[in-house]
Every structure is written in C-alpha cells, then in structure tokens.
Amino acid sequence: MAEVQERTLNEEDRIMRVWTPILLRTILIASAIVLVFGLFLMATKTPTFYVERFRSIQAGKLHPNETFSQDISEALNGDPHSVMTLGLFILTLVPLARVAFCFLLFLKERDYTFVGLTAYVLIGLVAGVLLGRIG
Amino acid sequence: MGEILLGLFALSIGAGFIGALSGLGGGVFIVPALVILARLPMKVAIGASLISVVATSAGASVAFVRDGWTNLKVAMVLECATVTGALAGAYLAGVVPVWILEALFALTMLQSAYFSFQKQEDDLIENGDPISKRLHLGGEVLDEDGKMVHYEVVHFPTGAGLMVMAGMMSGLLGIGSGALKVMAMDYFMHIPLKVSSATSNFMIGVTAGAGALVFLARGDVATSVAAPVALGVTVGALAGSKILPHANIKALRMSFVVILVLIAIEMGWRAVRGI
C-alpha cells in the first residue's frame, strides 16, 4: 500500500516537473508577444497619445475601466491600449493555468487532499477578480 | 514617447537586474524607482510591479522546477496562505491612505536589509511535524558534498501564518515578499535554503497573480506603464540570473543593503510628509 502511494507521489511530481515549465514558458512568451505588439502599435499609431496618457497617469488619472469583452473587441480592431491590456490579462493567466493544471493532475491521481488545496487557490484567484470589481 | 518608454525600460531592466542579483526580486526596487524617479503615484507603481512580479516568477522558476530544486507540494500548500493574504492586501491597498503604504514599504525595505545579513546555513530535520508528514512535504536535496539527503518539514502552522503575512505585504505593496517567504521556510520550517529560495520563487507568481487580478479588475493598472515595466523587469531579471553564478555576491551584498536603507529613508520621509 505504502509502495503504491509512493509511486503515485513520484509520478505526480515527475509530470509536474515536465509540464509546469512548458506551461509557464508558453504563456509568458505569448503575453510578451502581445505586449510588444501593443507597444509597437502605440509607437506607430498614437505616439503623442502615449505621452498625454503618461502625463495624466502621473497626475493620478487612470484610463476608465472597460469590460473584458470590450477590451477583446477593441484589441481585434487594433486599439493599442486594448492590445496591451489583453497582454497583461494573458500574463495573469500564468499562475491561474499552472494551478488549474495541478488541480486536474491531482484529480486524475485521486489525491483528494491536494485537489482541495489547489481548488482553494483557484477559487482565491477567481475571487480576486470579483473582489476587484466590487472594491 | 521614445524618451518616456526608454526611461521606463531602463528603470525596469535595472530593477529586475538588481532584484535578481540580490535575491530580493524586482518588485522591491521597481516600486520606489517608479515613485521616486518616474514620479508616478504609489498605487500605479504597485499595480505595475505586481504584474512584473508574475512575469519574473514565471521566467525564473522554470529552471528551478525542471532541475528539481522546487518543493512543489510545499509550494501548493503554502499558496493557500499566501493567496488569502494577497487578496486581503490588494483589497486594502485600494482603501488605505498612501502614507501608510509608504511607511509599510519603508519597514519592508529594512526587513529585507536585515534579511541580507542573516546567517544562511541549512539545519536539516529528520522528523517532520504531523501536518507536514500527512501532506508528504519532506523532500530530498543535494548537500555540499554532492550527496542526496532527506529533509522533513517542521513548524507548519508558524510557517503558514508567516505566509499569510507575506501574501498581505505582496498585495499591499506590489512586491513578491521573497525575503519573508524564504525566512519562513528556511529559518522556521527548516527547509534547505536553496529549496526555500526556489520554492519561494515559484510561489511568488501565484501570490502576485492574486493581487494583480484584484488591481486589474478594479482598473488600478495603468496599462501604458505596466506593459513596458513587465517586459523590462523580466529582461533585467533574466540577465541578472545569467550573471548571478559568476558574481561576487558577498561583495555586492553591502551595496544592496545601502540601496535598501536609502529607499527606506526616502519612503519613510514621504510617509511622514503625507500624514
């Protein structure tokens, strides 16, 4: 029994060590590409707008908050600000995707203690969005 | 536009580089750099820093995970504590006065400076506490002689409590709180230092991610600042981690401490003026 449990633990560890770096690197590269593209669009399409935006941020005025669907549609239309916001959202997917991957792995291996622990972290990350919306 | 962008890139690359060399992470240096040098509001700096911490953690932890230094189970258990703290911290960051954030930042700088002077020796334990044993948190690590040795984890409740605090500081101040996390794992839980550092690095992404999601959803992230900062800090951190094995860290440590103390004085002074 102890031997079977030990083997399961080693298998979980091996899978996580192989796939976690791939997952982290892939999402990181994807977000970097989108962010660089957004900055490129900003530099070529609206260079003076960036300066104005930066000065207003220094004065404490931020861009009004938009919904995620608004950002997506504006990003598809080539709006530099929305493209960069999309890049930042992809970046914040890194921890979310990593925890979700571990959750599914523990579920597959029926390691219910860690299913509960990773589910708590996942719920916490999603709660972050709700907390930001109300706060 | 070019000058502003280049300036932001330069500051971010510098912060990421020093953060990687000092082992304290880029957040500790980019927040004061944005506030003091780029003259941006504290909350904008915190939002941008949280995003950059997610990026650097993801970049830096890849090699540690692949090479087996990270204790993944310890990370996943303690993330429950850090995420709870980070959500509370990020929420509070939106409501507390700026001078409190500046004062807390100054204190955190002093704690990081103190941490840089702590003795760093492994004190491995063979018998873990009941919670750690039940969760199979122990692991194996190569010792100085290249021999594989087993370690167990102790004082789990103390470590978890400190992780809630580290998470709260992360969400409040936009830093990774790596110094506090490593201290909790190494000093209190007796996890080997190298494993503690690698595990802390891995956890920082999720901790900062929780805080970053609150800031993003609240509309407190200035995209035009956060995008170049995230890219710059990541580039700087990657460059720093390449140079790290060849650098004389003991010689550099004193200059890092001086920088931290100077930042603490400046932030402390800003807090006093803001009361």
Side-chain angles (χ1 to χ4, degrees):
Chain A
M1 181 67 188
E3 201 178 301
V4 173
Q5 197 181 19
E6 186 70 23
R7 211 181 308 143
T8 308
L9 288 174
N10 289 341
E11 184 60 9
E12 278 172 1
D13 200 62
R14 190 191 65 77
I15 295 172
M16 282 193 289
R17 287 193 194 285
V18 171
W19 286 100
T20 308
I22 295 171
L23 197 69
L24 295 179
R25 197 174 281 171
T26 308
I27 303 177
L28 191 62
I29 291 171
S31 72
I33 291 171
V34 176
L35 287 174
V36 170
F37 182 60
L39 282 170
F40 172 76
L41 283 178
M42 183 81 90
T44 50
K45 287 172 96 172
T46 54
T48 52
F49 181 64
Y50 183 86
V51 179
E52 284 165 25
R53 171 71 54 81
F54 187 80
R55 299 284 176 231
S56 69
I57 293 168
Q58 280 182 318
K61 291 177 204 143
L62 297 188
H63 193 263
N65 204 9
E66 285 166 345
T67 62
F68 190 62
S69 54
Q70 271 176 315
D71 270 323
I72 295 275
S73 64
E74 283 178 32
L76 291 174
N77 289 330
D79 173 53
H81 183 271
S82 298
V83 172
M84 287 194 291
T85 306
L86 191 65
L88 296 180
F89 266 113
I90 295 173
L91 192 56
T92 53
L93 276 183
V94 173
L96 209 63
R98 197 260 284 167
V99 179
F101 169 72
C102 293
F103 170 78
L104 292 174
L105 177 68
F106 290 128
L107 199 62
K108 180 179 162 281
E109 301 291 337
R110 298 181 183 184
D111 188 343
Y112 294 116
T113 309
F114 276 84
V115 167
L117 291 167
T118 45
Y120 178 86
V121 177
L122 267 181
I123 292 167
L125 290 170
V126 175
V129 179
L130 301 176
L131 202 62
R133 285 282 171 199
I134 59 168
Chain B
M1 178 189 172
E3 278 172 26
I4 296 174
L5 260 186
L6 278 178
L8 281 179
F9 270 128
L11 282 181
S12 314
I13 290 172
F17 186 76
I18 299 173
L21 278 184
S22 64
L24 297 170
V28 166
F29 298 99
I30 192 64
V31 173
L34 291 177
V35 171
I36 299 166
L37 302 174
R39 295 180 184 179
L40 287 163
M42 183 80 179
K43 284 177 189 173
V44 170
I46 292 172
S49 173
L50 275 174
I51 302 271
S52 73
V53 171
V54 174
T56 46
S57 166
S61 58
V62 165
F64 291 135
V65 173
R66 196 186 48 215
D67 299 343
W69 289 108
T70 312
N71 186 323
L72 295 167
K73 290 216 155 174
V74 166
M76 268 162 233
V77 174
L78 293 179
E79 273 167 5
C80 294
T82 60
V83 164
T84 307
L87 290 177
Y91 179 76
L92 285 174
V95 291
V96 299
V98 172
W99 70 265
I100 293 182
L101 297 179
E102 289 167 339
L104 280 173
F105 205 96
L107 290 174
T108 308
M109 295 290 96
L110 293 177
Q111 186 262 333
S112 298
Y114 172 74
F115 172 78
S116 301
F117 275 123
Q118 284 297 295
K119 75 172 178 73
Q120 298 187 333
E121 282 171 20
D122 289 338
D123 186 10
L124 305 188
I125 300 274
E126 285 178 13
N127 270 323
D129 64 24
I131 301 175
S132 307
K133 270 188 170 173
R134 180 168 151 47
L135 295 170
H136 301 281
L137 298 185
E140 287 183 330
V141 67
L142 281 174
D143 68 6
E144 284 175 358
D145 306 323
K147 203 171 62 184
M148 196 62 91
V149 287
H150 185 80
Y151 64 88
E152 283 294 340
V153 178
V154 289
H155 301 138
F156 179 82
T158 313
L162 284 168
M163 289 298 165
V164 174
M165 211 155 83
M168 190 173 275
M169 287 298 123
S170 176
L172 258 176
L173 307 174
I175 57 174
S177 290
L180 189 53
K181 285 192 180 102
V182 172
M183 196 168 84
M185 283 190 273
D186 174 42
Y187 190 75
F188 289 99
M189 300 173 83
H190 288 265
I191 297 171
L193 182 66
K194 203 158 181 183
V195 177
S196 298
S197 302
T199 308
S200 158
N201 212 309
F202 188 69
M203 289 163 61
I204 279 171
V206 167
T207 316
L213 283 168
V214 177
F215 271 73
L216 266 174
R218 197 165 50 205
D220 274 354
V221 173
T223 310
S224 319
V225 174
V229 166
L231 290 169
V233 172
T234 308
V235 170
L238 289 175
S241 60
K242 293 271 179 216
I243 288 177
L244 189 61
H246 315 289
N248 184 350
I249 292 301
K250 278 184 183 162
L252 286 172
R253 187 164 289 164
M254 184 53 81
S255 49
F256 295 142
V257 169
V258 172
I259 295 172
L260 289 170
V261 172
L262 286 175
I263 294 172
I265 293 170
E266 171 64 27
M267 295 304 256
W269 176 237
R270 280 169 178 264
V272 170
R273 278 188 305 174
I275 295 173

